[in-house]
Amino acid sequence: MSESAKPRTAREIRSAARRDAIIDAALEEFSFQGFAAARLDDIAKRAGVAKGTIYLYFADKETLFKELVRAMLTPLIGQFEALAKTDIPFPLLAERLADVAAREVAGSRRRDIIRLIIAEGPRFPEIADFYYREILSRVFAALQTILTRAFERGEIRHRGLVDFPQLLVAPVLIAATWSSLFEKQAPLDIQALLKAHIDILLDRGSAS
Amino acid sequence: MSESAKPRTAREIRSAARRDAIIDAALEEFSFQGFAAARLDDIAKRAGVAKGTIYLYFADKETLFKELVRAMLTPLIGQFEALAKTDIPFPLLAERLADVAAREVAGSRRRDIIRLIIAEGPRFPEIADFYYREILSRVFAALQTILTRAFERGEIRHRGLVDFPQLLVAPVLIAATWSSLFEKQAPLDIQALLKAHIDILLDRGSAS
Amino acid sequence: MSESAKPRTAREIRSAARRDAIIDAALEEFSFQGFAAARLDDIAKRAGVAKGTIYLYFADKETLFKELVRAMLTPLIGQFEALAKTDIPFPLLAERLADVAAREVAGSRRRDIIRLIIAEGPRFPEIADFYYREILSRVFAALQTILTRAFERGEIRHRGLVDFPQLLVAPVLIAATWSSLFEKQAPLDIQALLKAHIDILLDRGSAS
Amino acid sequence: MSESAKPRTAREIRSAARRDAIIDAALEEFSFQGFAAARLDDIAKRAGVAKGTIYLYFADKETLFKELVRAMLTPLIGQFEALAKTDIPFPLLAERLADVAAREVAGSRRRDIIRLIIAEGPRFPEIADFYYREILSRVFAALQTILTRAFERGEIRHRGLVDFPQLLVAPVLIAATWSSLFEKQAPLDIQALLKAHIDILLDRGSAS
DNA sequence: GATGAATGAGGGTTCATTCAT
DNA sequence: TATGAATGAACCCTCATTCAT
C-alpha cells in the first residue's frame, strides 16, 4: 500500500507495516464517520497502536486524511493508463474496463474513498485538486484517446461520448454510491448494470 | 419550504419563517461542512437567530439535519411523479426531465443535498432509508413505468435501460458531483452533457 | 481590578465580577505554577466557573496571562506618577515611596507578578515589551526627574544615582524576591531594609 | 562542570562528558523555557544524545533540573568564600567583587540560573532550600564578616549595610534581571552601574 | 417566545517515560 | 551502553446543550 521504495531492515518493515495498518484503520473510520466525526482514538484502536503512535507517522489528522487518499488512489492510475495503451478493439477494452471497475468498485475500500472525496472535497480543496490533477485528468485524457480512436474506427457511433467521457464512467459512480448506501434496501448487480451500459453504447443486444 | 399546513396567525407566520430561515442556514452550513463539522453557532448566526432559538424548533442537531433533508426532498417528488403520469412521447419527456435535472442540479442547493446524502448516509441509516423509501423507490417506480412504455412503443431499443433505470439518471449524478467538486478545475456544460446522453439513448444524432 | 468603564446593568456587573474572579484565580495559579505548568482546569475551579467559561472572557491561555499582567500593573503607574509630581523634599518623598513599595511588595499579589515577569519574560517578549513600555520607562522617567531635582538641591550627593535610578529601586526587587522565596528560611524585615537603604543614600544616621 | 571525583578510565571520561553535555543543554533549555515548558527532546537534541540516554544519567526531568542547579551553583561558592578570607582593604575587595559579579552576571549562563531559581523556586521548595542553605546563607555569612570588619575599620560608615548585606548585592540582582529582560529595549552598562553603587556605599566621588 | 452566558464532556495533540533492539 | 519507537496520561480548546433572564 505504501508507494515508497521497499523497506529492508526489520525495523523498516515493521514501521511500514504500522503505517499501512494506520492507513487501513483510517480508511475504515473516515469512510464510515467522515473526516470530522472520526476519532483518532478509534483509528488507533483499530490499527492496534496507541494514540500517540499515529503522530509518529502523520503530522496530524488532516495529513493522515490526505495521505490516505493519496495512498489509495496512486496505485490505481498506473494500472489504468497501461490498459489505455493497449490497442485492442474497443468492445473488448470496454468489457475489461467494466470488469476492473466492477471489482474495484465492489471492493468496498475503493468505493468508500470515492464517497469520501465527494463528501469532503469542498472542505479540502487540496484533496479535490490532487484528485483532479493526479487521477481524473489523466483518466479522462486516456479515455479521450481511446474513445477518439474507437469513434474513428466506427466502433462507437456517437461523438457525444468523445466530448463527454463522463458518460462512459457515470454508471461506475452510481454503482459505487448505490451499493454503498442502498445495499440493504435494494442490492445492485453491478456487473449486469455495466454490461447493459456497454450494450447500449455499442448498440448491441438491442430489442427483441 | 416547510411542508406543514399553512400557518394563519401572525405569530404562526413569523414562526414558520424562522423555521425556514434556520433550515436554509442549516443547508448552507451542513452541505459545506458536513454534519459533524457544521456548528450550530454558525447556523444560528446565518439564520439571524440566537443559538438557543434553534432548540425551540428542533430537538437537537441531528433532528435539524433530518428535517432539513426531508424538507428539501419532499417537494421534489410530487413534481416528478406528475411528469411521469403524462403520456407524451419519450423523446420529449426525456428532454423535459433533462431540463429539470439540469436546472435542479445547477441550482447549488439541491446538488448539495445529494452530496450530503452520499456523505452522511452511512452514518445516518434513517436518512438513507428515508431517501430510498420516499424518493428513490418512487422515482424508480415511475421511471420503470415510463421506460417500459417507451420500450414497448419502440422509442428506445434496449431492455437494459428498463432493468437499470440507474443508467438513465447516472449522468445527472455525475454532473452534480462534478460541478460541485471540479467547477474550478474544469467546468462542465451540464445541458450539453445531458443532451448527448439522451442522443445516445435514443440513438439519434449519431455518426457523422 | 478591571480598568474599563464601570459596568451598569446587572448582567454587566456579574460579567465583570467573573472576569475579575478569573484574573484573580489565574494570578494565583500562574504565579505558583508558572505559565506552562498552570492548568486552566485549576484556574476555573479556583474562580468557581466551568472550564469553558474562561474562553468567554479570554481567547486562550496566553491571552489570559497577558491580560492578567496588564490588569495588575496598569493601576500602579498612575499612583506612582502622581507621587512623582509633588514637590516635597526628597527625604520625605523617599520615605513615602519606601512605604508604598513595602506595602505593595508585602502584598503578596504584586510581588508574584514581578516574579512572573522575571520568570516568563524571555518567553513572552510582548510581556517584557509591555512592562518596559508601560511601566518601567515611565517609572524611570519620573525617577530621573525626582533624582535630578534632588541632586540639584543637594539632597543627594551622588550623580551615580541620577544616572542609574535602578540603584534606588534595587532593594525593592530583592525584598520582593527574597520574601517570595525565603520567607520560611529567613524572613526579611522589608520596612527596615528600605529604611537602611534610604539612610545610606541620604548619608544620614551613619556610624554611631 | 561535574563536581564528582575525577573519572579515570576512558569510559568514565566519556560518560562524564556526556553528563556535562546534558547539563549544559538542560541549562540552555530550562533557562529559556522554564522547567515545565522545556522539552527533554530538545535537551537531548542539543546535547547530541538520544532521548533515552538522559535517563541513564538522571532519574527524571525533575532530578535533572535539581542536579543542574546544584552543578551550576556549587563551584561559585568556594571561589567566593576564598575571596572573603583575604584581608585586603574593603574598597579593593568591593571592586573585585563587582568585577566578578559583572562578569558572572554578564556571562549569560549564571544570570539565567538566577532567573530560573526565582521562577521555579516556589514550585520546587527543595531548590529554594538548597539554594538558601548551600549558597545564600554562606554568602551572607561571609559578607557579614567582611562588612563587620569594614565597618569597624571605618571603611564604610553605615551599620545598615552590616544588618542588611542584601543591600550590597541588590544591584547585582537588578543587573542580572534587567539585562536578561530588557537588553533590547534599554541595554545596561553593568560595570558602570556597580561602580556607581560602590561609590555611593563608600561615599566617594560624590557631588561635583 | 427569544436570548446568549454558562456548562462540561469530548477530542486532538504533546511529551515524559519505558523498553525492545 | 545507547537508541528512538512506542506508549498513554494529561491538557488546551471546542461546541452541543441548558437555563436564568
Side-chain angles (χ1 to χ4, degrees), chain C residues 31-34 36-37 115 117-123 125 128-132 136 140 151 157-161 164 166-167 169-171 173-174 177-178 180-182 184-186 188-189 192-194 196-197 199-208, chain D residues 31-34 36-37 115 117-123 125 128-132 136 140 151 157-161 164 166-167 169-171 173-174 177-178 180-182 184-186 188-189 192-194 196-197 199-208:
Chain C
S31 67
F32 183 61
Q33 307 281 355
R115 254 198 45 249
I117 292 169
I118 293 175
E120 310 287 355
R123 277 219 299 152
D129 266 13
F130 170 80
Y131 182 57
Y132 180 77
L136 274 194
F140 278 94
F151 182 70
R157 303 170 51 194
H158 296 274
R159 270 225 72 86
L161 212 51
F164 294 107
Q166 285 95 341
L167 292 175
V169 301
L173 179 65
I174 214 171
T177 54
W178 185 285
S180 186
L181 294 175
F182 309 116
K184 227 176 49 191
Q185 289 89 347
L188 186 65
D189 182 341
L193 172 82
L194 293 183
H197 177 49
D199 286 347
I200 293 173
L201 293 187
L202 298 180
D203 195 33
R204 70 184 178 190
S206 75
S208 66
Chain D
S31 65
F32 183 61
Q33 307 282 353
R115 254 197 46 247
I117 293 167
I118 292 175
E120 309 289 354
R123 275 225 299 157
D129 266 13
F130 170 81
Y131 181 57
Y132 180 77
L136 274 193
F140 277 95
F151 182 69
R157 304 169 51 193
H158 296 275
R159 270 224 72 85
L161 213 50
F164 294 105
Q166 286 95 341
L167 293 175
V169 301
L173 179 65
I174 214 171
T177 54
W178 186 285
S180 185
L181 294 174
F182 309 116
K184 226 178 49 191
Q185 289 90 348
L188 186 65
D189 183 341
L193 172 83
L194 294 184
H197 176 51
D199 286 349
I200 292 173
L201 293 186
L202 298 180
D203 196 31
R204 71 185 178 190
S206 74
S208 71

Side-chain angles (χ1 to χ4, degrees), chain B residues 5 69 104 117 121 125 174 185:
Chain B
V69 173
E104 295 295 342
I117 292 168
I174 215 172
Q185 289 89 348

Side-chain angles (χ1 to χ4, degrees), chain A residues 33-183:
Chain A
Q33 306 282 352
F35 175 78
R39 291 162 40 194
L40 286 185
D41 233 341
D42 292 338
I43 293 175
K45 214 163 288 167
R46 186 184 286 272
V49 302
K51 206 170 10 160
T53 304
I54 295 177
Y55 288 85
L56 297 176
Y57 293 90
F58 305 94
D60 55 16
K61 194 186 184 185
E62 196 169 324
T63 303
L64 170 57
F65 178 55
K66 290 173 187 163
E67 291 290 307
L68 156 67
V69 173
R70 183 192 308 270
M72 296 304 289
L73 295 180
T74 306
L76 248 189
I77 186 66
Q79 173 180 355
F80 178 82
E81 288 184 329
L83 206 60
K85 282 206 192 90
T86 67
D87 193 18
I88 56 180
F90 182 70
L92 195 55
L93 179 58
E95 256 152 36
R96 286 207 190 150
L97 285 172
D99 241 43
V100 170
R103 263 184 290 111
E104 296 294 344
V105 160
S108 67
R109 311 192 89 73
R110 210 85 70 178
R111 152 183 109 195
D112 289 333
I113 279 287
I114 293 176
R115 252 197 47 248
L116 259 183
I117 292 170
I118 293 175
E120 310 288 354
R123 276 220 300 153
F124 294 95
E126 304 134 278
I127 293 270
D129 265 14
F130 170 80
Y131 182 56
Y132 180 77
R133 193 164 17 86
E134 301 293 321
I135 308 294
L136 275 193
S137 65
R138 290 165 69 179
V139 165
F140 278 94
L143 283 181
Q144 218 124 22
T145 307
I146 293 171
L147 290 166
T148 303
R149 194 169 50 203
F151 182 70
E152 285 164 357
R153 285 184 188 160
E155 291 168 328
I156 56 176
R157 304 171 51 195
H158 296 274
R159 269 224 71 86
L161 211 51
V162 180
D163 296 332
F164 295 106
Q166 284 97 342
L167 292 176
L168 185 63
V169 301
V172 177
L173 179 65
I174 215 171
T177 53
W178 185 285
S179 62
S180 186
L181 294 174
F182 309 117
E183 197 132 63

